Amino acid sequence: MQELLPAAVVAEAHERFESVPAQEVVRWALEDAGLPRVAVASAFQAEGTCVIHMATRIRPDIEVLFLETGFHFRETLQFKDELGKRLGLNVLELRGDHTPESQAAEFGERLYERDPNACCDINKVVPFTRALHERDLWMTGLRRDSSPSRANTPIVEQYELEPGKTLVKVNPVANWSRKDVWAYLKEHDIPHHPLYDVGYASIGCAPCTRIQFAGEDERESRWDGSQKTECGIHAHSPAGSGSA
């Protein structure tokens, strides 16, 4: 794998960032890492909103990658637009090769119920992979405590997207709790997605998201009735991150 950053630099950053504020991690990603093509990926959930806010305070025009699947809640799209106007965001909407209508025509109705992996691949993994080919580093709002599937999330990792294409991925709030997220939003007077107020804990596409039940981790309310826990865009093996 051809590395964008020396493996030792990535490993040192991952270890050091466990004990520094997330804002410093974001600054490193935008300034000190020295990689020119940087973006934030977000579905405008609370954690991603925090990372967007941190990033735009340093680089106001940073690209915010948003997967427009065609299946989002109306509230998600409205909140994206409202926050975009409030913060002057540079949102780039990524779309797959199908609309909900053309997907139904080719693969049958309600693919998200019959084969949620295929639906996520069509609407998320494929268009997002295309976009990442044009970037060197991307930031997320992943948190370790949101789900067992994310418990080992590194703060900085370097991995091979596809043969010949390496990426650096930065998860500035990986070691935050849900309480930390909401404290940041309150401190900076940042609005939040309205569906949190009616019982949602993790908000994705409308057909595959329900309210959180008592005793569940946040992401158990996604893809109800299946063993699926991730959409697929975070499915990769880190290399040179100190956490492999």
Side-chain angles (χ1 to χ4, degrees):
M1 183 181 75
Q2 185 177 1
E3 297 173 333
L4 288 168
L5 296 175
V9 170
V10 177
E12 187 276 333
H14 169 64
E15 182 176 356
R16 175 163 56 92
F17 291 156
E18 287 290 340
S19 58
V20 304
Q23 293 91 326
E24 292 187 27
V25 180
V26 173
R27 185 171 297 279
W28 176 87
L30 294 180
E31 298 181 345
D32 299 336
L35 298 176
R37 301 182 300 176
V38 180
V40 177
S42 181
F44 289 84
Q45 297 189 69
E47 305 85 350
T49 300
C50 293
V51 175
I52 288 170
H53 181 258
M54 294 176 203
T56 54
R57 297 182 84 182
I58 299 168
R59 187 183 298 180
D61 64 344
I62 188 170
E63 287 184 326
V64 178
L65 306 180
F66 174 76
L67 281 161
E68 173 47 289
T69 64
F71 294 101
H72 282 293
F73 288 98
R74 178 183 68 255
E75 291 89 344
T76 297
L77 302 179
Q78 290 174 341
F79 179 66
K80 171 182 65 70
D81 292 343
E82 291 166 3
L83 190 70
K85 292 177 182 177
R86 176 168 176 158
L87 299 181
L89 299 181
N90 177 20
V91 178
L92 178 62
E93 296 190 353
L94 309 178
R95 291 178 169 84
D97 297 329
H98 285 282
T99 64
E101 294 75 22
S102 69
Q103 176 175 301
E106 182 163 344
F107 300 100
E109 296 286 343
R110 307 178 80 85
L111 180 64
Y112 43 79
E113 290 181 355
R114 295 182 289 105
D115 191 345
N117 286 324
C119 190
C120 282
D121 191 62
I122 291 167
N123 295 294
K124 294 184 176 181
V125 178
V126 170
F128 197 68
T129 300
R130 289 174 185 161
L132 289 181
H133 272 281
E134 305 301 320
R135 276 84 192 170
D136 301 311
L137 182 153
W138 60 298
M139 286 185 281
T140 82
L142 293 183
R143 280 181 22 247
R144 294 170 187 159
D145 74 342
S146 67
S147 169
S149 66
R150 298 184 171 185
N152 296 316
T153 299
I155 293 180
V156 180
E157 57 184 300
Q158 184 164 227
Y159 69 98
E160 193 170 51
L161 176 69
E162 291 178 346
K165 174 57 181 175
T166 303
L167 281 168
V168 174
K169 181 180 178 185
V170 180
N171 309 299
V173 298
N175 58 1
W176 277 21
S177 67
R178 190 174 187 178
K179 183 178 180 180
D180 293 330
V181 171
W182 289 94
Y184 184 92
L185 295 179
K186 182 178 180 179
E187 177 185 356
H188 296 280
D189 191 28
I190 305 168
H192 59 266
H193 194 304
L195 289 182
Y196 288 117
D197 295 333
V198 293
Y200 288 85
S202 179
I203 305 165
C205 292
C208 303
T209 306
R210 60 164 171 76
I211 63 171
Q212 182 184 27
F213 298 151
E216 290 184 327
D217 67 58
E218 293 170 35
R219 294 186 63 81
E220 285 185 78
S221 59
R222 303 279 291 275
W223 303 290
D224 194 23
S226 78
Q227 298 301 308
K228 185 175 175 63
T229 59
E230 296 287 344
C231 67
I233 66 172
H234 300 294
H236 52 261
S237 298
S241 65
S243 61

